[in-house]
Amino acid sequence: MRTAGSNRESTMAAISEAGIDLIFQYGFPSTTLRMVAKKVGMQAGSLYNYFEDKQSFLYQIMKRSRQDLLAELDRKLTGNADPVQALKAFIEVHIEFYTERSKEMFIGRMELRGLTDEQFRDINALRDRYEWQFTSILENGRRTGDFVVDDIRLTTYAILAMLTDISTWYRPRGRMTKGQLIEYYTNMVFHILRCERPDAIGGSDNPAD
């Protein structure tokens, strides 16, 4: 027998999926809760059992995706102090997450104006924490002599922008598997950082290979 809690969770998942699809397709200002309810097969008024208003719904979508990304990154980086291996893990997580959940991450970048000031600060704090993780890897690698980085902040923005852009054009049936794509971009990033360690480039153990 399904518990009340599990039923609520599955309903919320369906609402979120519908909202993500609609906001991605039409934009947040043009997406109404009535549209979301119709897509899920609910009465519009029932949605208020799950969130207060449309802004709160958008905030939940953005916050969940950012928290999930940070959780996956923390899992991959736990106990990994080596900057080369940490950077390889970061690149893999970033590409995997941004391609698997590209709609959510697109919404998280393009619909920030739909948030309240407080919600905006909260989402920005999560984004800053993620960028800090990347910056820390670069700083650690520069300190150990593995990376050559003249400007940490500029390099952080440039590499993250390059990795994030993959989500705008990647298609699962493209000419490269995701594993090959991760390997290609990993090699590119390490060339940018002028890292000459043998384990910085080469084959990937990603299961998508």
Side-chain angles (χ1 to χ4, degrees):
M1 177 180 292
R2 177 178 293 177
T3 64
S6 63
N7 185 58
R8 180 179 176 83
E9 289 175 5
S10 62
T11 302
M12 186 62 214
I15 293 170
S16 295
E17 183 178 355
I20 289 165
D21 286 343
L22 289 167
I23 294 171
F24 180 79
Q25 184 175 359
Y26 299 108
F28 179 68
S30 299
T31 299
T32 67
L33 293 183
R34 188 175 298 277
M35 292 165 64
V36 176
K38 182 178 179 180
K39 191 174 179 68
V40 180
M42 298 174 61
Q43 294 294 323
S46 300
L47 295 180
Y48 293 104
N49 293 321
Y50 298 88
F51 44 82
E52 294 180 3
D53 50 35
K54 196 169 85 160
Q55 281 181 316
S56 299
F57 181 45
L58 177 66
Y59 171 67
Q60 285 183 26
I61 292 172
M62 290 187 179
K63 186 172 184 178
R64 184 191 63 186
S65 61
R66 283 288 173 185
Q67 288 177 330
D68 288 350
L69 175 59
L70 282 165
E72 178 61 15
L73 182 62
D74 288 344
R75 187 182 71 82
K76 286 280 189 177
L77 294 182
T78 297
N80 196 347
D82 178 73
V84 167
Q85 296 305 314
L87 183 54
K88 291 174 76 171
F90 185 99
I91 294 168
E92 180 181 348
V93 168
H94 190 95
I95 294 177
E96 285 278 7
F97 200 93
Y98 271 77
T99 53
E100 288 293 327
R101 297 170 66 169
S102 58
K103 292 180 181 180
E104 290 170 82
M105 302 316 289
F106 177 85
I107 291 169
R109 299 194 305 277
M110 303 303 294
E111 301 291 356
L112 289 166
R113 289 175 296 178
L115 301 175
T116 66
D117 290 343
E118 183 178 356
Q119 290 168 345
F120 180 84
R121 287 192 295 270
D122 194 17
I123 297 302
N124 258 0
L126 293 172
R127 184 195 64 184
D128 290 346
R129 180 183 158 195
Y130 184 72
E131 289 182 359
W132 174 83
Q133 292 269 39
F134 186 76
T135 299
S136 297
I137 294 172
L138 294 186
E139 289 176 339
N140 190 23
R142 183 167 67 175
R143 186 167 52 251
T144 61
D146 289 307
F147 305 151
V148 178
V149 187
D150 297 323
D151 189 311
I152 289 285
R153 178 172 293 185
L154 187 59
T155 303
T156 294
Y157 293 157
I159 293 177
L160 287 181
M162 179 179 72
L163 296 177
T164 298
D165 187 61
I166 297 171
S167 65
T168 66
W169 54 260
Y170 170 75
R171 297 295 181 270
R173 297 183 180 180
R175 66 185 182 89
M176 279 189 173
T177 67
K178 191 177 296 184
Q180 290 170 332
L181 196 63
I182 290 170
E183 182 180 333
Y184 186 89
Y185 271 81
T186 298
N187 292 347
M188 195 185 326
V189 169
F190 278 108
H191 282 304
I192 291 171
L193 299 175
R194 288 172 277 178
C195 182
E196 298 179 356
R197 270 178 50 178
D199 60 334
I201 59 176
S204 169
D205 59 359
N206 191 283
D209 280 335

